[in-house]
């Protein structure tokens, strides 16, 4: 597949390629400089999340952390490691096994002035809480004309790629993004993991904080505490001139890899990391696609009715006269999440994304 | 606590019988006459309010109204048993409870009139918005109670649900969380014996709903829900215990839904008029009235004064409800988030544009 791609590609590369190459180099250096500041320790996303919770607990006595196994154990992914020991059982505690109970009690606590940060053990195990999320968490501010705001954060480890058996790899973001009243955020880097989680906890509205679990152990060089762009902004992770890859969560790294591979084939790929799925940063995305004229949206979740459909529609509405090709989506197939030995075929890969890039009507553009 | 201490008694707790005579109870004393008079006044007012709301629905002023006729003792006495700082978590059926809590009846009816989802300020009255998804309010109540407990505040929470709602998963989760956290919350189950058309016998095989509490390690009380004195005494004690760190309790109040589920329901399709008639004999307002008259706490003139006062409130409510409320469509976008997003701002502009075109 990749071989075919490279052939198609060379033949159709716009004439400006040589010049863009140099520009890309310069831009890349700049991008690196903005992502990774001057001092560095190596920090995993899991450690960054843990630090964000610790700092939030320390800075604000109304912050409470609770969920299943988050106390002594520190969570099955160790994101709450050490918090119960440091802040005591009153601030970080285990609950009975009941997700609606966890979210429902968080709602009541927030009504009384607390800032609960609750953990769902896995994406698919957040479904029992869905009624509490959609009927109450998302709506109480609106139902009461702003009198009851709910500063609740629900942390959801989501997505595949970790070899999990069924019910451990869902990409459930679209259920939440389709629910007005919720903010939905997902970090793609350790620095964002820290900064976005701090922002989410400080936010006056409920935030579904989707953690790309396969990137928990990805390292970044950063100094904690680190603050990145505000929570509601998308960022250009890698500037490019030919096509915009729009990604979030675990797919940001895959998109960046794709951009590297595409460079060998002559495409200069821009990568936008959405970070915030709701609200959606139209400005950053639109500016990028107007510049490049081509866009591919990438996510792990099933494609049909997925979040990428919204992105593609918005980009089309706002960039129609700038587009050289239809906006494409690369997502998981429209199947129940596959068993671990087959998941690699389901998850968007560099090759599959490159294939999509190759389909962006370069021939017509070159003609 | 041993299971025996958690179990409800063999018969519903009763402090005043159907004929309006006091009944001695080993655990609970009858509230004093001042309290009973207050309960009576509030129940008369509540019933009149309920009738008025039903009438307003017939006139098309309310979108829907779930009457609580027959359940006045539960709603009024439970709310009267609450402390000033306690929180109330009502359902759609608790309009009378909310009016009893002191909330402006027009604000209470905002939901059912269809102006907005909640008309009152929950913080001002320490009353959550009325909850329609069954039993989902129980976990909120537990959360708020537990937050108060963690802060060391002397606050208890009272949450209402119906008999049908005890079958929902959220009720189970709430009972369990409350017991495990020792949250200061009292679950008042108004067993009006029907969940729309489904009788309690198809809902649960528990000996009583109060027995369910035992499985969670929580006290269960079975109370005559048409005896305002008993409801008041038991709920008050349960709230006091909860506030003092004694943990949660479940109070089942046995009562009856005299009207259909809502104005839109036809109860004749599923239940016998004879059953309704039987419960008409057990009317909670008349029971208390009989006691107060018999004991000389109420005379004919005072009875008429109470009725007149309720009538006056109903007339005032009628007048205010007949005025068309001014609604601002732009408000729809105001409180989705603390700050409207750019996206919502554009949609608000679109609607404003449509409205200006219409004008
Ligand atoms: C989760 C949920 N399922 C179904 C309904 C529809 N519904 C509204 S009231 C009701 C019956 C509830 O009966 P019960 O709990 O006994 O309370 P009552 O109405 O008798 O006061 C039903 C099924 C609902 N509101 N919420």
């Amino acid at each position: 597949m990749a071989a075919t791609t490279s052939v198609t590609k060379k033949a159709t590369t716009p004439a400006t390629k040589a010049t863009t190459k140099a520009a890309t180099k310069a831009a890349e250096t700049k991008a690196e400089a903005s992502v990774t500041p001057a001092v560095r320790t190596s920090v995993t996303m899991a450690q960054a999340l843990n630090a964000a919770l610790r700092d939030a607990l320390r800075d604000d006595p109304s912050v409470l952390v609770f969920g299943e196994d988050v106390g002594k154990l520190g969570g099955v992914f160790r994101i709450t490691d050490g918090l119960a020991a440091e802040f005591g059982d009153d601030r970080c505690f285990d609950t009975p096994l009941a997700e609606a109970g966890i979210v429902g009690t968080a709602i009541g606590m927030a009504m009384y002035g607390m800032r609960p940060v609750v953990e769902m053990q896995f994406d698919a195990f957040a479904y029992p809480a869905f009624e509490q999320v959609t009927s109450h968490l998302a709506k109480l501010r609106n139902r009461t004309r702003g009198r009851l705001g709910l500063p609740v954060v629900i942390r959801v480890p989501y997505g595949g790629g970790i070899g999990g058996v069924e019910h451990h790899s869902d990409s459930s973001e679209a259920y939440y993004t389709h629910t007005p009243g919720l903010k939905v955020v997902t970090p793609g880097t350790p620095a964002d993991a820290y900064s976005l989680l701090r922002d989410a906890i400080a936010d006056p509205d409920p935030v579904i904080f989707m953690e790309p679990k396969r990137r928990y152990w990805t390292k970044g060089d950063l100094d904690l505490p680190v603050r990145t762009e505000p929570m509601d902004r998308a960022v250009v992770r890698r500037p490019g001139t030919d096509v915009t890859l729009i990604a979030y969560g675990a797919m940001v790294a895959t998109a960046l890899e794709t951009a590297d591979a595409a460079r060998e084939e002559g495409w200069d790929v821009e990568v936008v990391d959405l970070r915030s799925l709701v609200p959606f940063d139209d400005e950053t995305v639109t500016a990028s696609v107007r510049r490049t004229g081509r866009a591919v949206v990438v996510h792990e979740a099933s494609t049909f009715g997925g979040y990428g459909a919204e992105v593609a529609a918005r980009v089309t509405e706002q960039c129609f006269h700038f587009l050289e090709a239809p906006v494409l989506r690369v997502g998981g197939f429209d199947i129940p999440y596959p068993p671990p030995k087959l998941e690699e075929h389901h998850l968007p890969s560099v090759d599959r994304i490159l294939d999509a890039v190759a389909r962006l009507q370069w021939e017509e553009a070159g003609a | 606590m041993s299971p025996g201490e958690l179990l409800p008694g063999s018969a519903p707790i009763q402090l005043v019988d159907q004929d309006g005579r006091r009944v001695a109870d080993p655990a609970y004393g009858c509230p004093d006459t001042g309290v009973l008079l207050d309960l009576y006044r509030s129940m008369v007012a509540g019933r009149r309010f309920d009738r008025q709301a039903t009438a307003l629905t017939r006139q098309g002023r309310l979108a829907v109204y779930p009457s609580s006729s027959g359940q006045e003792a539960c709603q009024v006495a439970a709310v009267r048993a609450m402390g000033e700082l306690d929180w109330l978590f009502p359902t759609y059926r608790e309009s009378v409870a909310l009016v009893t809590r002191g909330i402006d009846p027009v604000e209470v009816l905002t939901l059912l009139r269809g102006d907005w989802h909640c008309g009152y300020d929950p913080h001002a009255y320490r009353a959550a918005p009325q909850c329609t998804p069954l039993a989902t309010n129980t976990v909120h109540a537990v959360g708020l109670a537990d937050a108060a407990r963690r802060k060391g505040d002397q606050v208890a929470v009272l949450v209402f649900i119906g008999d049908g709602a005890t079958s929902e998963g959220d009720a189970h989760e709430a009972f369990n969380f409350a017991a495990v956290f020792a949250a200061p919350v009292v679950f008042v189950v108004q067993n009006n014996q029907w969940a729309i058309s489904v009788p309690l016998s198809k809902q649960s095989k528990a000996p009583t709903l109060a027995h369910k509490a035992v499985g969670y390690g929580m006290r269960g009380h079975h109370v005559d829900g048409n005896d305002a004195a008993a409801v008041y005494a038991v709920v008050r004690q349960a709230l006091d215990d909860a506030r003092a760190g004694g943990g949660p309790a479940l109070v089942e109040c046995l009562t009856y839904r005299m009207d259909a589920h809502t104005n839109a329901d036809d109860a004749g399709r599923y239940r016998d008029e004879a059953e309704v008639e039987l419960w008409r004999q057990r009317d909670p307002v008349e029971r208390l009235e009989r006691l107060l008259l018999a004991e000389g706490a109420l005379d004919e003139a005072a009875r008429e004064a109470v009725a007149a006062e309720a009538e006056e409130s109903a007339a005032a409510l009628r007048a205010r409800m007949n005025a068309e409320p001014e609604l601002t469509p732009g408000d729809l976008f105001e409180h989705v988030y603390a700050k409207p997003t750019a996206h919502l701002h554009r949609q608000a502009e679109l609607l404003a544009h449509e409205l200006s075109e219409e004008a």
Side-chain angles (χ1 to χ4, degrees), chain B residues 4-11 208 210-211 214 220-222:
Chain B
E5 289 173 82
L6 303 175
L7 274 171
S10 53
T208 72
H211 279 83
V214 184
H221 305 284
H222 193 209

Side-chain angles (χ1 to χ4, degrees), chain B residues 9-350:
Chain B
S10 53
I13 297 166
Q14 196 182 62
L15 299 179
V16 177
D17 71 14
Q18 280 187 58
D19 301 324
R21 281 184 306 248
R22 291 181 193 249
V23 179
D25 182 273
Y28 297 95
C30 196
D32 62 39
T33 303
V35 170
L36 296 181
L37 268 172
D38 169 63
L39 293 178
Y40 173 72
R41 230 181 268 119
S42 301
M43 283 165 68
V44 171
R47 173 164 294 181
R48 186 62 191 88
F49 163 88
D50 193 82
R51 260 209 294 139
Q52 189 57 57
T54 296
L56 286 164
T57 310
R58 247 183 256 118
Q59 295 153 15
R61 286 284 172 197
L62 297 183
V64 64
Y65 185 71
S67 166
S68 58
S69 175
Q71 303 179 215
E72 292 86 355
C74 307
Q75 298 205 4
V76 167
V79 167
R80 278 291 189 243
M82 292 173 66
E84 172 73 16
L85 297 179
D86 293 346
W87 272 75
L88 172 67
F89 283 76
T91 76
Y92 50 88
R93 191 157 318 275
E94 271 79 60
S95 295
V96 167
L98 290 165
V99 170
T100 305
R101 185 73 176 154
I103 304 177
D104 179 343
V106 174
E107 289 183 8
V108 170
L109 292 177
T110 299
L111 166 72
L112 300 170
R113 176 150 74 166
D115 303 345
W116 203 265
H117 312 297
C118 174
Y120 49 89
D121 180 353
H123 284 292
Y125 302 97
R126 285 168 295 282
Q130 284 177 277
C131 184
T132 305
L134 297 172
T136 56
N137 56 335
T138 54
V139 270
H140 308 159
V142 173
L144 192 141
D146 197 53
R149 180 188 65 80
R150 281 170 199 280
K151 283 190 169 176
D153 295 347
Q154 291 294 301
V155 170
V157 176
L158 187 153
V159 51
F160 282 113
I161 52 171
D163 44 296
T166 61
S167 303
E168 291 278 359
D170 278 16
H172 157 68
E173 297 190 18
F175 297 160
N176 190 47
F177 269 63
V180 169
F181 290 165
V185 57
V186 176
F187 302 95
V188 175
V189 178
Q190 288 179 84
N191 174 7
N192 65 15
Q193 309 188 51
W194 292 93
I196 309 184
S197 66
V198 179
L200 182 62
S201 58
K202 291 189 180 169
Q203 205 70 243
S204 174
K205 293 297 171 201
T208 72
L209 296 174
H211 279 83
K212 292 194 173 199
V214 184
Y216 300 97
M218 166 169 70
R219 274 210 174 90
H221 305 284
H222 193 209
V223 181
D224 180 342
N226 282 12
D227 174 1
V231 173
Y232 181 89
V234 174
V235 172
R236 191 176 171 122
Q237 185 65 54
L239 287 167
D240 285 349
D241 288 349
R243 247 182 263 110
L250 189 159
V251 180
E252 176 189 355
C253 300
L254 183 64
T255 183
Y256 196 77
R257 191 194 78 207
M258 295 303 293
D259 285 357
H261 173 68
T262 67
N263 56 289
D265 176 39
D266 176 6
R269 291 175 68 93
Y270 53 81
R271 71 181 187 187
D272 269 355
E273 190 47 39
E275 183 183 274
V276 182
E277 195 43 50
L278 184 72
W279 280 89
R280 215 182 299 285
Q281 309 306 315
R282 303 176 184 166
D283 186 85
V285 183
E286 286 172 15
R287 186 190 305 198
L288 196 52
E289 187 177 274
R290 269 185 222 117
L291 174 124
L292 292 168
L293 286 171
E295 295 190 352
L298 194 71
D299 58 20
E300 196 48 38
R303 200 185 66 86
E304 275 168 24
V306 168
E309 198 187 327
E311 199 55 48
E312 219 171 277
S313 302
L317 174 63
R318 193 165 52 236
R320 290 172 67 203
M321 291 297 288
N322 281 334
E324 230 9 275
E326 279 233 14
L327 301 180
T328 317
D331 283 0
L332 291 171
F333 304 94
E334 278 305 304
H335 302 294
V336 183
Y337 299 98
K339 261 192 268 150
T341 59
H343 176 74
L344 284 179
H345 187 70
R346 284 191 293 275
Q347 295 193 340
E349 280 177 350
L350 180 70

Side-chain angles (χ1 to χ4, degrees), chain A residues 73-363:
Chain A
L73 180 67
V76 293
F77 292 108
R78 306 292 182 268
I79 306 301
T80 59
D81 188 33
L83 301 181
E86 186 172 340
F87 296 97
D89 223 23
D90 242 25
R91 305 283 309 282
C92 176
F93 51 92
D94 292 325
T95 63
L97 302 181
E99 292 74 15
I102 292 169
V103 173
T105 50
I107 290 169
M109 289 181 180
M111 288 173 69
Y112 202 73
M114 301 297 200
R115 283 183 181 269
V117 183
V118 302
E119 176 171 306
M120 297 285 111
Q121 205 155 62
F122 283 87
D123 31 62
F125 306 139
Y127 301 146
F130 201 62
E131 185 186 20
Q132 287 294 337
V133 173
T134 50
S135 292
H136 294 293
L137 186 65
K139 290 180 178 165
L140 258 170
R141 175 184 293 285
N142 185 255
R143 286 168 65 204
T144 60
R145 290 180 177 268
R147 286 154 169 162
L148 278 185
L150 296 178
V152 174
V153 176
I154 304 182
R155 297 181 33 248
V156 185
Y158 80 112
I162 62 158
V165 296
E166 61 173 346
H167 309 300
H168 290 79
S169 298
D170 282 13
S171 286
S172 46
E173 65 271 24
Y175 301 130
Y176 303 109
T177 59
H178 195 60
T179 302
L182 301 176
K183 292 182 177 177
V184 184
V185 171
T186 178
T189 67
D192 261 358
Y194 180 91
S195 190
L196 290 175
L197 186 50
R198 291 304 302 270
D199 283 352
I201 295 170
D203 202 88
D205 290 308
V207 180
I208 309 296
F209 193 85
M210 311 281 301
E211 301 174 359
K213 63 170 99 76
R214 68 199 269 201
R215 306 292 181 213
Y216 271 152
W217 305 281
T218 299
K219 288 182 174 163
D221 286 332
L222 57 120
D223 256 358
L224 293 171
V226 63
R227 297 321 287 257
T228 58
E229 295 78 0
M231 189 170 83
D232 58 354
R233 300 307 303 222
V235 299
V236 175
R237 282 278 167 235
R238 180 198 194 281
T241 53
D242 295 343
V243 50
T244 303
L245 292 185
I246 303 167
Y248 55 87
M251 285 296 107
V252 173
T254 308
L256 288 168
E257 248 183 87
T258 305
D260 285 343
R263 189 168 40 179
E264 283 164 27
E265 317 209 352
W267 284 304
D268 184 15
V269 172
E270 177 149 308
V271 175
V272 172
D273 175 356
L274 290 179
R275 304 165 83 247
S276 171
L277 307 187
V278 179
F280 180 81
D281 181 359
D282 284 293
E283 207 180 321
T284 302
V285 173
T286 301
S288 171
V289 178
R290 286 186 177 186
R291 230 170 18 241
T292 61
R294 288 181 171 83
V296 178
V297 194
V298 185
H299 57 51
E300 283 187 27
S302 298
T303 311
F304 188 90
Y307 185 74
E310 175 66 23
V311 177
R314 296 179 87 81
V315 167
T316 305
E317 283 166 11
Q318 288 160 41
C319 306
F320 187 70
H321 294 294
F322 298 80
L323 285 172
E324 307 285 348
V327 180
L328 296 184
R329 287 168 291 161
V330 177
F333 295 123
D334 298 311
I335 55 173
Y337 197 86
K341 286 191 177 152
L342 293 171
E343 71 176 333
E344 63 174 306
H345 304 296
H346 175 69
L347 294 169
S349 60
V350 169
D351 281 351
R352 193 177 289 160
I353 302 169
L354 275 178
D355 284 350
V357 170
R359 290 201 310 274
L360 291 172
Q361 303 185 1
W362 303 98
E363 298 85 350

